[in-house]
């Protein structure tokens, strides 16, 4: 599985992928935390909408409002956002039972880091490459509130959902560290070489030998 230079995706996608890699029921993430019950509403719903889009979104706003509002709940003084990925999921009938290698690098972020962190914790795969850019213990993403900086006028997306893999946290404040570190040099890039993938193919060839 190659998730190098992968900036992320949806929880639904990685939960579906994980269901093909785990032979037993699993829970992908811990309950996702938000600051308040209204946090999901601070997502610039009308951002970059043309006239027709604005009109349509205006009509749909009540559904959006109630959908987001009822997707949050409070427990032990904290607010959480409901997702399917924090519930127990069943493996697929045709789950893959072979050895899994996953390629990662410094441009693996967000959902790709959640996936690799979970795979490493559960010992479902061998991670090869370089430390991910996304943190091992979670990410603040899910949906975003865009804020315009006062001087540069740059639109800065700020995640409002704390998403953490269902793992034993490392508390290292680092990305997901590969099981096998294989670095890519500038020379490799210029010569279009892939030492990380080469390591995996060599390892597979070794395991095929009698």
């Amino acid at each position: 599985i190659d998730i190098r230079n992968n900036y992320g995706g949806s929880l639904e996608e990685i939960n579906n992928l994980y269901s093909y890699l785990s032979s037993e029921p699993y829970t992908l993430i811990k309950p996702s935390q938000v600051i308040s019950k209204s946090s999901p509403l601070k997502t610039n719903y009308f951002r970059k909408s043309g006239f027709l889009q604005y009109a349509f979104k205006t009509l749909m706003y009540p559904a959006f409002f109630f959908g987001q509002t009822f997707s949050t709940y409070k427990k032990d003084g904290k607010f959480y956002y409901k997702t399917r990925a924090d519930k127990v999921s069943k493996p697929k009938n045709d789950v893959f039972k072979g050895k899994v290698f996953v390629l990662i690098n410094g441009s693996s972020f967000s959902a790709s880091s959640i996936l690799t962190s979970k795979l490493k914790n559960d010992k479902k795969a061998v991670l090869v490459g370089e430390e991910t850019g996304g943190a091992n213990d979670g990410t603040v993403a899910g949906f975003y509130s865009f804020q315009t900086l006062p001087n540069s006028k740059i639109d800065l997306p700020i995640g409002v959902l704390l998403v953490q893999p269902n793992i034993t946290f490392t508390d290292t404040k680092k990305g997901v560290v590969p099981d096998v570190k294989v670095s890519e040099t500038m020379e490799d890039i210029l010569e279009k070489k892939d030492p990380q993938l080469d390591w995996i193919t060599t390892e597979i060839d070794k395991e095929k030998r009698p």
Side-chain angles (χ1 to χ4, degrees):
I1 301 173
D2 190 350
I3 52 176
R4 294 173 295 180
N5 307 316
N6 186 311
Y7 300 142
S10 72
L11 288 173
E12 183 178 354
E13 290 170 338
I14 60 173
N15 196 42
N16 183 54
L17 174 57
Y18 203 90
S19 68
Y20 286 97
L21 304 175
S22 177
S23 57
E24 61 276 335
Y26 65 92
T27 303
L28 183 69
I29 63 170
K30 296 180 183 293
S32 299
Q33 192 175 339
V34 290
I35 295 297
S36 69
K37 191 173 183 65
S38 63
S39 292
L41 299 174
K42 300 175 181 179
T43 55
N44 309 93
Y45 177 74
F46 292 102
R47 183 174 180 268
K48 291 187 176 180
S49 297
F51 176 77
L52 292 178
Q53 289 177 314
Y54 193 94
F56 177 76
K57 286 184 176 181
T58 299
L59 293 174
M60 296 301 297
Y61 187 77
F64 167 79
F65 177 85
F66 287 108
Q68 293 293 67
T69 300
F70 288 110
S71 291
T72 60
Y73 64 96
K74 190 175 184 179
K75 183 179 180 181
D76 299 328
K78 297 180 180 179
F79 290 94
Y80 297 91
Y81 188 82
K82 298 175 184 177
T83 67
R84 293 181 182 178
D86 65 14
K87 306 295 188 298
V88 176
S89 296
K90 295 180 179 179
K92 291 289 192 290
N93 292 329
D94 53 349
V95 62
F96 181 72
K97 296 181 180 179
K99 189 172 184 178
V100 177
F101 293 94
V102 180
L103 287 160
I104 57 174
N105 67 4
S107 291
S108 301
F109 291 99
S110 195
S112 64
S113 292
I114 295 291
L115 174 64
T116 50
S117 178
K118 178 66 173 171
L119 286 169
K120 182 174 183 177
N121 180 84
D122 294 353
K123 296 179 173 56
K124 300 292 185 185
V126 177
L127 308 186
V128 180
E130 299 169 282
E131 180 183 340
T132 63
N136 184 88
D137 292 353
T139 181
V140 179
F143 31 81
Y144 299 86
S145 175
F146 284 82
Q147 302 298 320
T148 303
L149 299 181
N151 296 319
S152 65
K153 305 303 179 184
I154 294 175
D155 278 345
L156 186 66
I158 300 175
V160 298
L161 187 67
L162 175 60
V163 182
Q164 297 176 301
N166 186 32
I167 64 169
T168 300
F169 292 148
T170 61
D171 294 322
T172 57
K173 296 180 174 62
K174 298 181 67 175
V176 184
V177 178
D179 299 302
V180 180
K181 183 178 180 180
V182 181
S183 298
E184 183 181 49
T185 66
M186 182 60 70
E187 184 179 348
D188 291 327
I189 296 173
L190 293 174
E191 295 182 4
K192 297 183 178 180
K193 294 180 179 179
D194 193 340
Q196 297 160 344
L197 181 59
D198 290 344
W199 186 92
I200 292 177
T201 55
T202 300
E203 190 68 14
I204 292 174
D205 288 340
K206 287 180 182 178
E207 294 183 5
K208 285 182 178 179
R209 294 172 189 169

